[in-house]
Amino acid sequence: MKDRFDEKCSVGCSSPSGTLVGENITPATFSSSYGGFLAWSQVVPGHIANMLSWGYGTGFAVFQLYYKETLDLPAAQVSWVGSIQIFLCFLIGMVSGRLSDAGYSRYLYAIGALISVFGMMMTSLADTYWQILLAQGFCSGIGGGLMFMPATANVATYFKKKRSLAVAFNGCGSSTGAILFPAIVQFLTPKVGFQWAVRICGFIALFLAIIGFCLLRPRELRRVPQPIVDWSAFKYVPYSMFAAGAFLIYFSLFTMLIYINSFAKDIIGLSDLESINFVLITNGVAIPARPIFGYIADRYAGPVNTYGLNCIALGIMAFGWMGVHKRGDMYAYSVVMGFVNGAAQGLFSSAVSTFVKDVRKMGTWIGMVFALCGFATLAGPPTMGAIIDASNGKYIWGQLWAGTTIVIGGCMILVTSVVSTRTSRKKSEV
């Protein structure tokens, strides 16, 4: 039996706890769509899509260091490659989210995977800045944006009570990819060269993408014609406030991940090989953090509250970055920061989904917030690089900037939760 919503009532309004209310579904639809093997199997293609998009993009730190040294370019200029890659993942995610709502998820997944792999292969052949910018910045960014949003939105439509946990496992792919690809490049470059190390990344990505495509089974919902941008979403005040807070958070979030290994090398004085360890550690400890806090969000605090509190903690960690002066401090900081960062990023999609009133618009509404955050990530790392360059290589002012923006954004997220709760109460009273 195919899963379809009742023709007259297919709207699922989201509450702050992350559950859909007002959604009329039959027992057969519930049992087959909300949990079970089919639902959990959709986490796998989502996990893989996050590996090839956010994982590869977040792991840009190892490329940042390599390009800076081999091309002899300023940090701000090199960081534009990573910024554009992440920006396009966000921006294209808005378009692919809308198209996934229209029923094209499998096509988007396949095309995005091919473009991502093509970008990796072209990066292995690039030897000038503009070639790297086109291959790794634009090509990988577009491919990742086409892949991840349909897969992530699909996971969200399959779950009700355990949505945050499922989306957290889905998001673990960004950490898995941010460990796998940087490790391959860093440790194989001395043995086979940078070009072949990147090609190996491409072959692995192709193999994983085939597995994900074979498993992907988009939930068949009754489609509703709608534009790529649903401007009515911004009339819902909690949604707009959340988008603004997320913009501030993502303005500085990726700067911490991108610059952590260059900080270890330039300020702490560690070798290139050891400095990449912090990228691996940061993303490694993020893996268990995502499902742990996904469970907490589902069971106790709700995804929005849990996300906001974790973002404030991440901002505090950015301030704490200023107190790192020794090798031991660096390792301890990487562990704590990675855990907090993993918890925050793992809850982002789930937190956004709680404001989606119609489950058929899941990809569109989530994609719009991602697009806004994309502009933040486009400007964030180059801004950090410019601050560092203007400070003669000192990181303190960049760290202060990162902490301030993330804490303010986290506070806005918590306020959003309060406003959303009050709005729901007023509607119930009426």
Side-chain angles (χ1 to χ4, degrees):
M1 179 182 293
K2 293 186 178 180
D3 306 321
R4 292 188 181 276
F5 277 127
D6 183 87
E7 183 175 357
K8 295 182 179 180
C9 186
S10 57
V11 175
C13 299
S14 303
S15 67
S17 64
T19 60
L20 294 175
V21 297
E23 181 179 22
N24 289 349
I25 53 179
T26 65
T29 302
F30 184 91
S31 61
S32 62
S33 299
Y34 280 61
F37 176 78
L38 176 60
W40 284 105
S41 69
Q42 299 311 295
V43 174
V44 177
H47 186 98
I48 293 172
N50 276 275
M51 287 180 66
L52 272 60
S53 54
W54 300 114
Y56 188 58
T58 304
F60 182 74
V62 64
F63 294 95
Q64 168 94 5
L65 191 59
Y66 178 83
Y67 294 148
K68 181 181 177 182
E69 294 181 348
T70 57
L71 300 179
D72 193 25
L73 295 172
Q77 185 176 352
V78 174
S79 65
W80 274 109
V81 178
S83 295
I84 290 176
Q85 182 181 357
I86 296 171
F87 163 70
L88 288 174
C89 278
F90 275 115
L91 185 65
I92 300 299
M94 178 179 68
V95 179
S96 63
R98 169 62 191 95
L99 292 175
S100 68
D101 288 341
Y104 299 102
S105 295
R106 287 176 61 81
Y107 297 101
L108 293 166
Y109 196 94
I111 295 172
L114 290 175
I115 295 176
S116 295
V117 173
F118 178 76
M120 292 181 185
M121 295 304 184
M122 291 300 100
T123 299
S124 71
L125 300 175
D127 54 11
T128 62
Y129 177 75
W130 70 268
Q131 291 174 342
I132 294 170
L133 185 65
L134 288 176
Q136 189 167 2
F138 284 90
C139 200
S140 296
I142 293 172
L146 290 173
M147 274 190 81
F148 94 91
M149 181 54 71
T152 298
N154 183 51
V155 172
T157 64
Y158 270 95
F159 290 88
K160 185 175 182 180
K161 294 182 179 180
K162 297 182 179 180
R163 178 183 295 174
S164 294
L165 181 61
V167 173
F169 277 119
N170 166 84
C172 282
S174 62
S175 296
T176 307
I179 295 173
L180 176 64
F181 297 122
I184 291 173
V185 173
Q186 184 66 26
F187 296 112
L188 290 186
T189 295
K191 298 180 180 179
V192 299
F194 176 79
Q195 290 74 17
W196 266 107
V198 178
R199 286 174 197 143
I200 291 172
C201 290
F203 288 124
I204 293 175
L206 178 61
F207 173 74
L208 292 172
I210 292 173
I211 295 175
F213 179 78
C214 292
L215 290 175
L216 184 64
R217 292 291 183 272
R219 188 177 176 199
E220 295 187 20
L221 305 175
R222 186 177 180 83
R223 311 298 175 184
V224 177
Q226 55 183 303
I228 293 177
V229 179
D230 185 2
W231 295 107
S232 65
F234 296 102
K235 295 179 181 180
Y236 184 45
V237 176
Y239 178 85
S240 297
M241 291 181 62
F242 183 94
F247 180 90
L248 291 175
I249 292 166
Y250 274 88
F251 193 92
S252 297
L253 188 150
F254 279 100
T255 62
M256 300 174 67
L257 300 175
I258 290 176
Y259 281 95
I260 188 170
N261 70 324
S262 60
F263 174 85
K265 181 178 180 295
D266 298 337
I267 304 301
I268 307 299
L270 303 180
S271 65
D272 293 347
L273 188 61
E274 188 174 11
S275 63
I276 197 62
N277 289 342
F278 301 110
V279 178
L280 304 180
I281 292 172
T282 299
N283 288 285
V285 297
I287 294 177
R290 293 171 184 264
I292 289 174
F293 282 91
Y295 176 80
I296 293 173
D298 283 330
R299 185 88 181 204
Y300 303 106
V304 178
N305 288 329
T306 310
Y307 176 68
L309 290 172
N310 273 287
C311 287
I312 292 175
L314 183 62
I316 294 173
M317 289 303 301
F319 290 127
W321 192 6
M322 294 185 290
V324 177
H325 302 292
K326 300 178 181 178
R327 182 173 177 271
D329 298 342
M330 195 68 214
Y331 277 98
Y333 177 80
S334 297
V335 171
V336 180
M337 192 274 280
F339 189 83
V340 176
N341 176 68
Q345 287 200 65
L347 290 165
F348 180 50
S349 298
S350 177
V352 178
S353 70
T354 63
F355 299 105
V356 181
K357 295 183 176 182
D358 188 338
V359 74
R360 297 168 301 179
K361 299 181 180 180
M362 187 72 72
T364 303
W365 280 40
I366 295 177
M368 290 191 299
V369 176
F370 269 75
L372 288 174
C373 292
F375 287 99
T377 59
L378 178 66
T383 299
M384 181 75 157
I387 293 174
I388 294 172
D389 292 338
S391 303
N392 297 320
K394 296 181 180 180
Y395 282 68
I396 186 169
W397 293 109
Q399 294 162 336
L400 183 63
W401 168 257
T404 302
T405 53
I406 294 175
V407 167
I408 294 175
C411 291
M412 289 184 66
I413 297 298
L414 291 181
V415 173
T416 298
S417 179
V418 175
V419 174
S420 178
T421 302
R422 290 181 177 178
T423 302
S424 301
R425 286 178 180 175
K426 288 182 180 180
K427 289 183 177 181
S428 62
E429 291 176 356
V430 174

